[in-house]
Amino acid sequence: MTSAPIRSICIVGGGTAGWMTAAALARMVRTGVAITLVELEQIGTVGVGEATIPPILTFNAMLGIDEAEFLSRTQGSMKLGIEFVDWNAPGHRYLHPFGDYGFDIDGVKFHQIWHRLRAAGQAGALDDYSLCAAACARNRYAAPPRDPASPLSRLVHAYHFDAALYAAFLRDYAEQRGVARREGKIVDVALRGSDGHVERVLLEDGSRLAADLFIDCSGFRGLLIEDALHTGYEDWTHWLPCDRALAVPTANIGPLTPYTRATARAAGWQWRIPLQHRTGNGYVYSSAHISDDEAAATLLANLEGEPLADPRPLRFTTGRRKRAWNRNVVAIGLSSGFLEPLESTSIHLIQAGIARLLALFPDSGWGDPERDAYNQLTRSQYERVRDFVVLHYKTNGRDEPLWRQVREMDVPDSLSQRIALFANRGRIFRHEDELFAEASWVAVLLGQGVMPRGWDPLADALDPAQLSVMLDRIRTTFARAADAMPLHSDWLAHHCPAPPLDLRKAS
Ligand code: FAD
């Protein structure tokens, strides 16, 4: 291979996706590659990505970011899972905690053992066997030790943070490492006649910016990947009908919970994300089932603290770009697709897009195999995450029109097969490249009320008396460990206090 290396990269957009990409490329790509990011502050960013999942730790570690500094600068807090309220029936709640339940024994999955003992009245609630759930129930948190023998090492966490502050933090990081930022509006995109690659972008002030590789982080619109290259979009609204959201920050009241809350409402669901300086709230809804005014009234009537701004409207179409990498443009972030934020996966999909790009980094030969692999992996990841999100809708127990519609809809075969397999004997298998582990599927399936008819017969081969002792020990150990943790708010105040902010200005 004699192709020349990529010498210049242009990132279009300075939202979470743009600055995450800029920071990662500045850190990982060899020196001698010029990286420029163009953004127009006036256009603004979506910036409501405030809840994350545990792999964000890998991204921050790759950048060498200090956790305490990061949490302090982003008003961040800890997240140990998501509490789902009213998805099954009014008053019903369950937790999707991070990490595993209990311990597998002789190759038998813990939840199978639990199911067998539970049927015999010898086991408590499944949450009793999750350290994250025990900590959530007490609003407590402690940093997990490195020693894998310690029960505390079972505490798996992610973060809540202010997305705008995260982008600003990463902007500092990227600029310090040589990324050049250009303020300006892109008004046109020039394609090369020979191969249809993007040659340069034209800014409103008349200047032009050429590059070998373009990363489209321009948000839902997809300035390069769609407007210029007409790549196409696969619409998944028939499985995920929510298409609008209203977001509003409120003053913090009550204890700082180390988890996100997702409460089902008549035409969608409401999020609650506690940060150090405020709480993020929003109503994600289906515009076919409720008007914007009614949605705003529902949201405002169901806030815990004083609103700090007017509700901010957002519109979206759930789905994915048909090819995330087309010619010399790689779409990362909302330009590559969107799955509603129920399981906080968007920032992860940005991170995964960046990781794939680094693993398949092109040269000027623009090999088809790399592009094809990138697109295939992206598609597969989007579809698996989609199935997990659709699961919450398909198995709901509510009675309003939206909820009846999604309960009765046909879902992708990949999902219906999984539900059927679980409903039979509680079996669940993680696909190779799948984001959500078995424990996550178990948490949501059981939480949504899919109780398997039986359990894995291998669980019958184990001695029930020994199992019962083991389950008691796990429950007691986790409860004691959680009791000994500091309150989440005290832990944050001690390890990474964030500076006070003018809340109304910051909103
Ligand atoms: P944007 O934030 O839209 O940024 C686009 C950038 O492109 C901006 O900088 C803009 O200036 C620039 N731009 C656009 N056009 C031009 C132009 N012509 N010239 C120059 N610059 C231009 N994700 C999570 O992980 N967790 C969550 O809890 C979560 N909650 C969400 C809730 C809602 C309601 C929504 C809609 C999304 C949520 N997300 C969440 C997703 C998350 O917000 C996005 O993944 C993230 O913000 C990335 O956005 P982006 O950078 O791709 O696009």
Side-chain angles (χ1 to χ4, degrees):
M1 291 285 241
T2 53
S3 296
I6 296 289
R7 297 201 176 282
S8 52
I9 303 174
C10 174
I11 300 167
V12 173
T16 313
W19 285 114
M20 281 178 78
T21 307
L25 293 182
R27 169 90 175 81
M28 301 303 287
V29 171
R30 62 182 178 77
T31 48
V33 180
I35 306 173
T36 308
L37 182 146
V38 194
E39 66 171 320
L40 184 66
E41 259 184 45
Q42 229 179 321
I43 294 180
T45 63
V46 167
V48 278
E50 299 192 321
T52 59
I53 52 177
I56 184 90
L57 271 72
T58 314
F59 183 78
N60 283 359
M62 177 185 84
L63 299 184
I65 287 174
D66 174 70
E67 185 178 76
E69 186 196 353
F70 151 75
L71 286 168
S72 171
R73 284 201 46 194
T74 60
Q75 299 282 341
S77 67
M78 291 299 177
K79 176 179 170 189
L80 302 175
I82 305 176
E83 183 186 44
F84 290 89
V85 181
D86 294 347
W87 285 73
N88 249 337
H92 179 267
R93 33 184 89 217
Y94 72 91
L95 190 75
H96 166 195
F98 295 143
D100 288 324
Y101 294 104
F103 301 88
D104 299 348
I105 301 176
D106 293 345
V108 183
K109 300 288 175 193
F110 180 81
H111 73 273
Q112 299 282 9
I113 296 166
W114 170 83
H115 190 191
R116 180 187 163 199
L117 265 66
R118 181 82 170 166
Q122 290 171 1
L126 189 59
D127 277 356
D128 291 353
Y129 310 98
S130 154
L131 183 56
C132 283
C136 285
R138 295 161 175 80
N139 284 325
R140 290 181 181 271
Y141 175 79
R146 285 177 196 277
D147 175 10
S150 161
L152 270 177
S153 69
R154 307 281 289 193
L155 204 71
V156 177
H157 71 278
Y159 309 114
H160 303 122
F161 53 67
D162 183 320
L165 295 177
Y166 186 49
F169 178 71
L170 292 180
R171 175 177 163 184
D172 282 355
Y173 179 100
E175 287 186 319
Q176 279 162 21
R177 286 160 182 79
V179 172
R181 176 184 178 276
R182 287 279 299 270
E183 171 77 17
K185 181 175 184 183
I186 294 171
V187 289
D188 201 9
V189 180
L191 303 184
R192 199 157 58 198
S194 55
D195 55 8
H197 280 211
V198 171
E199 197 167 47
R200 58 184 181 274
V201 290
L202 180 71
L203 275 67
E204 203 170 31
D205 64 5
S207 58
R208 289 148 197 265
L209 203 62
D212 297 329
L213 171 66
F214 285 85
I215 317 285
D216 187 343
C217 298
S218 65
F220 287 126
R221 183 166 159 196
L223 206 60
L224 307 186
I225 197 80
E226 197 56 55
D227 286 3
L229 297 182
H230 310 296
T231 304
Y233 194 78
E234 200 173 300
D235 185 337
W236 289 340
T237 312
H238 50 293
W239 287 316
L240 293 166
C242 290
D243 56 354
R244 292 190 192 178
L246 288 162
V248 66
T250 53
N252 280 347
I253 57 167
L256 198 68
T257 55
Y259 54 87
T260 304
R261 180 175 298 141
T263 305
R265 303 262 177 244
W269 61 275
Q270 182 172 334
W271 79 75
R272 178 185 176 280
I273 299 176
L275 307 179
Q276 290 193 42
H277 62 324
R278 61 164 171 79
T279 299
N281 310 271
Y283 186 9
V284 175
Y285 59 96
S286 158
S287 61
H289 295 89
I290 194 173
S291 70
D292 296 338
D293 287 348
E294 283 174 291
T298 304
L299 176 62
L300 293 172
N302 287 288
L303 297 174
E304 286 171 9
E306 178 208 352
L308 301 170
D310 291 332
R312 180 179 160 213
L314 296 138
R315 291 179 177 209
F316 50 83
T317 305
T318 293
R320 67 169 194 98
R321 197 70 59 198
K322 286 186 177 157
R323 274 171 296 157
W325 181 346
N326 189 0
R327 298 194 171 87
N328 63 337
V329 175
V330 179
I332 293 183
L334 299 172
S335 59
S336 70
F338 183 61
L339 285 160
E340 58 153 279
L342 187 56
E343 284 283 351
S344 324
T345 42
S346 277
I347 290 175
H348 178 76
L349 292 170
I350 295 173
Q351 169 186 347
I354 295 169
R356 270 193 295 279
L357 174 62
L358 290 169
L360 293 162
F361 202 75
D363 57 32
S364 60
W366 296 106
D368 283 340
E370 281 77 16
R371 228 174 342 215
D372 291 348
Y374 187 95
N375 287 330
Q376 197 184 327
L377 290 166
T378 306
R379 178 194 184 122
S380 155
Q381 183 168 49
Y382 261 90
E383 288 177 349
R384 302 230 180 276
V385 174
R386 173 203 66 197
D387 282 3
F388 190 58
V389 177
V390 172
L391 170 68
H392 301 66
Y393 284 88
K394 176 68 183 168
T395 54
N396 85 86
R398 296 179 65 98
D399 204 27
E400 297 92 340
L402 165 72
W403 296 103
R404 282 199 298 273
Q405 175 189 316
V406 291
R407 190 168 49 245
E408 285 157 18
M409 71 185 167
D410 288 332
V411 296
D413 288 347
S414 44
L415 176 59
S416 52
Q417 285 159 10
R418 277 196 157 184
I419 297 174
L421 187 67
F422 186 82
N424 207 23
R425 284 192 178 271
R427 290 180 171 121
I428 196 91
F429 295 95
R430 186 183 195 171
H431 294 268
E432 246 172 57
D433 58 346
E434 188 165 7
L435 174 57
F436 288 101
E438 288 164 11
S440 291
W441 282 89
V442 169
V444 174
L445 280 157
L446 290 176
Q448 295 281 127
V450 184
M451 181 54 80
R453 287 180 282 277
W455 49 84
D456 185 338
L458 291 179
D460 286 326
L462 303 170
D463 175 12
Q466 275 183 8
L467 292 179
S468 183
V469 170
M470 187 195 84
L471 259 65
D472 272 350
R473 199 176 300 145
I474 295 172
R475 179 165 49 180
T476 315
T477 307
F478 284 176
R480 279 196 195 129
D483 282 338
M485 293 176 194
L487 284 173
H488 176 218
S489 49
D490 289 347
W491 189 90
L492 292 172
H494 185 72
H495 289 90
C496 48
L501 275 186
D502 178 337
L503 288 175
R504 288 185 188 278
K505 201 168 150 225
S507 300

